[in-house]
Amino acid sequence: VEAVEAKVVKALAIQADGGNPDDIKVAVLKTVEAFGKIDILVNNAGTAIPKPFEQASLEELDYILNLNVRGVFVATQEALKHMPEGGRIISIGSCVGERTMTPGLAAYSATKGAVKMFTQGLAREVGDRKITVNNLQPGPIDTDLNPAAGDWAAPQLANTSLKRYGHVDEVAALVAFVAGPESSCITGAN
């Protein structure tokens, strides 16, 4: 917040559990209280529990579904109540929502496939308000959850053309483009 406000831009930090509908609703309301509206929503919370599907517990599957799908639904529905014409909804999906070749990601892939189809359907519903809805589907990105030097890196790298993990700043640059005026006619895209 201090770094953003040093650039003479208002900022707000809210801690919330993206898998908890009540936390999401409170976060949206706090945002609206601070800024008056929501111009851009980036659905970026997500998780995977890499393991063979038959070894996943029901609790683990619920956790993945609640954060990766239900959280996107709730955040989007709440944000739309406060989004003016020309708003942007951007979800961070995954390339495995399109095609998965890495064992241990069946449940995660299913959730990211759901986000893909949600994006396409919602774009049709809010287009008359000039709101764009898009889904970014990066490959492996070097994060705490999925480090480039982690145990699951080798099978992911084997399926990439560039043989490297992406960086969060590369994803952020694409988010900035999709949120900007240059992309005002891109919607329903994955």
Side-chain angles (χ1 to χ4, degrees):
V1 169
E2 289 175 2
V4 171
E5 288 185 341
K7 297 180 182 196
V8 194
V9 178
K10 189 173 178 183
L12 173 69
I14 302 168
Q15 183 173 353
D17 177 350
N20 180 318
D22 292 331
D23 275 13
I24 295 168
K25 291 174 183 180
V26 167
V28 169
L29 288 176
K30 285 182 179 180
T31 302
V32 172
E33 287 172 4
F35 299 101
K37 60 183 176 171
I38 296 179
D39 294 302
I40 302 165
L41 170 68
V42 180
N43 289 307
N44 188 44
T47 195
I49 301 174
K51 62 169 51 175
F53 179 75
E54 64 185 316
Q55 294 175 10
S57 69
L58 182 57
E59 291 77 19
E60 290 171 326
L61 296 174
D62 283 343
Y63 180 71
I64 294 169
L65 279 166
N66 285 339
L67 184 58
N68 296 5
V69 180
R70 190 174 187 213
V72 170
F73 287 0
V74 174
T76 302
Q77 193 172 53
E78 292 301 311
L80 278 168
K81 295 174 184 176
H82 308 281
M83 187 170 284
E85 185 171 294
R88 302 281 193 269
I89 298 169
I90 303 164
S91 294
I92 307 300
S94 172
C95 64
V96 301
E98 192 81 37
R99 181 174 181 216
T100 185
M101 300 184 332
T102 304
L105 295 177
Y108 174 76
S109 299
T111 66
K112 294 305 182 175
V115 170
K116 173 188 179 221
M117 297 312 298
F118 174 66
T119 296
Q120 291 175 0
L122 186 63
R124 296 284 181 183
E125 291 186 23
V126 297
D128 61 338
R129 292 170 53 190
K130 310 282 186 278
I131 295 173
T132 66
V133 187
N134 292 292
N135 178 36
L136 309 184
Q137 296 180 299
I141 303 299
D142 189 11
T143 63
D144 291 343
L145 179 65
N146 186 25
D151 295 339
W152 287 82
Q156 292 179 78
L157 286 172
N159 294 315
T160 66
S161 298
L162 298 176
K163 304 300 180 211
R164 73 168 181 89
Y165 266 54
H167 300 283
V168 294
D169 56 333
E170 293 170 310
V171 177
L174 184 53
V175 169
F177 170 73
V178 175
E182 304 88 358
S183 65
S184 63
C185 71
I186 300 172
T187 193
N190 293 287

